[in-house]
Amino acid sequence: MISRPLELSSRVAAPARDWDWLFFVNGGLIVLFFFLFGSRFVLAPGLGTDFRLPTAAVSGLGASATTQVISLKAGGLIFTDSGQLSLVQLKSWLKREASTSKQPVLLVRASSDVSMEDLTRVYNAAEEAGFSRVVWAAEAPR
């Protein structure tokens, strides 16, 4: 009984062995690109899964276009597109970012467990830096 009537395996050519070095070049390029263009947030601490915005019934009424965004978490964690910053570093970052546009507007995404004292410090720092508005992010209640 013939189990393979066309005998295709006998007609297939063996793979060429002269391209084996290309695997190592590809691997080296991938590693190089990760080092050169890799995100600084891959191994850095982030917002996590327990980040929750506060809810407000009129959350969409004050919506406007913003030029910069920061995220606050309890314990003084401040995240920008430049990475994690302290409050002192945030003040210099805000001054630098406020000078990049005519009417800078800051969006603050603060977790619902951030203290009012921290929110006030960020608001005062943004006002001193020259931001024309500070917008607080909130979600509509479900």
Side-chain angles (χ1 to χ4, degrees), residues 84-104:
Q84 184 178 354
L85 302 175
S86 66
L87 187 61
V88 175
Q89 293 170 329
L90 178 68
K91 289 179 181 181
S92 63
W93 182 86
L94 288 171
K95 287 179 185 173
R96 186 174 59 249
E97 294 295 319
S99 65
T100 61
S101 61
K102 286 173 86 173
Q103 293 286 329

Side-chain angles (χ1 to χ4, degrees), residues 16-44:
R17 301 293 298 168
D18 59 345
W19 291 95
D20 289 343
W21 57 273
L22 192 59
F23 169 79
F24 295 107
V25 171
N26 283 337
L29 287 175
I30 289 172
V31 169
L32 177 71
F33 286 138
F34 268 109
F35 279 114
L36 292 179
F37 305 112
S39 173
R40 62 187 159 274
F41 299 108
V42 172
L43 297 176

Side-chain angles (χ1 to χ4, degrees), residues 3-142:
S3 60
R4 297 177 188 224
L6 298 178
E7 296 181 25
L8 293 177
S9 61
S10 65
R11 292 177 176 82
V12 175
R17 301 293 298 168
D18 59 345
W19 291 95
D20 289 343
W21 57 273
L22 192 59
F23 169 79
F24 295 107
V25 171
N26 283 337
L29 287 175
I30 289 172
V31 169
L32 177 71
F33 286 138
F34 268 109
F35 279 114
L36 292 179
F37 305 112
S39 173
R40 62 187 159 274
F41 299 108
V42 172
L43 297 176
L47 295 178
T49 57
D50 61 341
F51 186 82
R52 301 278 184 255
L53 289 174
T55 58
V58 291
S59 62
L61 294 179
S64 64
T66 59
T67 56
Q68 279 78 26
V69 178
I70 65 169
S71 299
L72 297 175
K73 202 166 167 155
L77 294 175
I78 303 169
F79 296 98
T80 65
D81 59 350
S82 303
Q84 184 178 354
L85 302 175
S86 66
L87 187 61
V88 175
Q89 293 170 329
L90 178 68
K91 289 179 181 181
S92 63
W93 182 86
L94 288 171
K95 287 179 185 173
R96 186 174 59 249
E97 294 295 319
S99 65
T100 61
S101 61
K102 286 173 86 173
Q103 293 286 329
V105 179
L106 178 67
L107 173 64
V108 179
R109 297 184 306 182
S111 180
S112 57
D113 56 353
V114 174
S115 69
M116 189 63 177
E117 182 180 358
D118 289 341
L119 294 175
T120 306
R121 285 182 185 156
V122 170
Y123 180 82
N124 290 336
E127 198 172 62
E128 289 173 10
F131 280 86
S132 60
R133 287 187 62 200
V134 177
V135 180
W136 304 101
E139 292 180 330
R142 295 180 187 220

